[in-house]
Amino acid sequence: MTGTASAARKILVCDTTLRDGEQTCGVAFQVEEKVKIAQLLDEMGVDVIDAGFPASSQADQDAVRGIAALGLNARVVAFCRPNRTEIDLARACGANAIYTFVPTSDVHMRVKFGGTDSAVRERLKAEMADGIKYAKGLGMYVGCGSEDATRTPYDYLEEVLVLAQESGADLVGVADTVGSTTPDAFRTLISRLRSQIGVTLSLHCHNDFGLATANTVAGILGGADEVQCTINGIGERAGNASLEEVTVALTQLYGFETNVDLSRLKPMSDLIAGLSGIEVSPMKPIVGGNAFSHESGLHVSSVMKDSTAYEPLRPELVGHTRRIVMGKHSGKGIIAHVLDAHGLPYDDEVLAAVLLDVKAASVLTKSSVTEAQVIEIHRERTAVRP
């Protein structure tokens, strides 16, 4: 571990793949797919599932209803604005928990409500407080977040979140809606809010500057209790904080605890990639195809002796597998290993020749070379020998 956690705090994990993740351009999960994903997320140990936004479509209503009927261990949350109509709709879909939100930045208030004057601010706070109290009166678990919190003047942000808490919210959320904060600034912000917030403090980070995972971890170090993430980091624009990156970083680097079964991360990543049609980059940490792949001769030689030389964690921990590939950067060691595994004879001259051909084939095809190709190259090389 390279970081420090005060006392192995348990961090709650909220998955929002089915709601915010589905807002990825071109992604539309079918209702039955959402129900299947929710079941698997529950089995994986996710604490909260953001099941959808019932007011947005009939499909989301059906999905929330179907997921709520599963009787999962995870809390099933419906997303809504803090008005009684949308809260009633969420309730009618079987949800006993809601996450609601209020825009707090000047730009969001200006473009959505026509101004930033005190009258607008007071109206939004009154609507938020009424929505929270109404939902609590129905016996619901209520989370209330600040949209675009990181571009909101601090005093107003604190005022809104403290009011949400005083109105009965079980959770208050801080959203870096356009991914524009930095880890240092976010940790300071959360630490400051933590001194005023006694209920669960949740984080929702976007990845516009590639900092969603770093910001989420920084927020936890600042004292937050819950992370909101998506599988593979899918979501609007550049996406959300990646559940696999966040959970592994928190547990393996910082010593925090979560209920997530890390061995299910790679299979879940593959499922979401298939159902969403959003391919995972080979270089993506934790679940990418190259995350535990090795080609360089020096690296392969070392990994074959002790995998920790070039792997910070075991691939099995996250449900992945190690892959040794052959190509331009390979050395004699991996070629000898393949030939030995297949009982093929060779001497130094043959080994050097096969390696030379492997490198040439890799450059020519701009791809790795398979074991079958190595065997064929060996056959060709030994066939012409006197």
Side-chain angles (χ1 to χ4, degrees), residues 295-311:
E295 179 184 315
S296 166
L298 176 61
H299 287 210
V300 169
S301 177
S302 298
V303 166
M304 291 174 68
K305 296 173 184 175
D306 183 347
S307 64
T308 62
Y310 286 101
E311 290 178 351

Side-chain angles (χ1 to χ4, degrees), residues 56-234:
S56 68
S57 69
Q58 182 62 52
D60 267 33
Q61 293 174 37
D62 294 341
V64 172
R65 187 173 291 109
I67 294 169
L70 292 174
L72 303 177
N73 292 317
R75 175 177 290 120
V76 177
V77 168
F79 193 74
C80 64
R81 285 166 289 208
N83 66 66
R84 298 188 177 202
T85 299
E86 292 194 10
I87 293 169
D88 284 339
L89 180 58
R91 184 70 167 171
C93 291
N96 58 9
I98 61 168
Y99 277 5
T100 188
F101 67 97
V102 58
T104 54
S105 68
D106 287 349
V107 62
H108 275 249
M109 282 192 285
R110 186 172 64 250
V111 300
K112 293 176 179 178
F113 304 104
T116 61
D117 55 74
S118 59
V120 172
R121 293 177 187 273
E122 291 305 313
R123 177 169 65 85
L124 291 175
K125 288 194 298 180
E127 290 175 354
M128 176 194 73
D130 179 74
I132 293 171
K133 292 175 182 177
Y134 180 71
K136 289 302 295 181
L138 297 175
M140 305 184 82
Y141 179 97
V142 179
C144 182
S146 164
E147 185 180 19
D148 207 19
T150 54
R151 294 194 296 178
T152 298
Y154 178 80
D155 288 345
Y156 183 60
L157 176 63
E158 181 184 299
E159 183 181 342
V160 169
L161 295 182
V162 168
L163 176 60
Q165 176 178 254
E166 292 174 345
S167 299
D170 302 284
L171 170 152
V172 297
V174 178
D176 184 27
T177 301
V178 294
S180 58
T181 193
T182 63
D184 288 344
F186 200 50
R187 180 173 182 173
T188 299
L189 172 65
I190 298 304
S191 180
R192 193 174 177 186
L193 286 171
R194 179 78 280 178
S195 67
Q196 304 299 316
I197 300 299
V199 297
T200 300
L201 183 54
S202 185
L203 310 172
H204 183 101
C205 295
H206 281 261
N207 203 38
D208 299 74
F209 283 84
L211 293 173
T213 293
N215 286 335
T216 301
V217 171
I220 291 298
L221 294 175
D225 308 294
E226 179 183 275
V227 295
Q228 298 182 18
C229 308
T230 63
I231 301 297
N232 295 338
I234 64 173

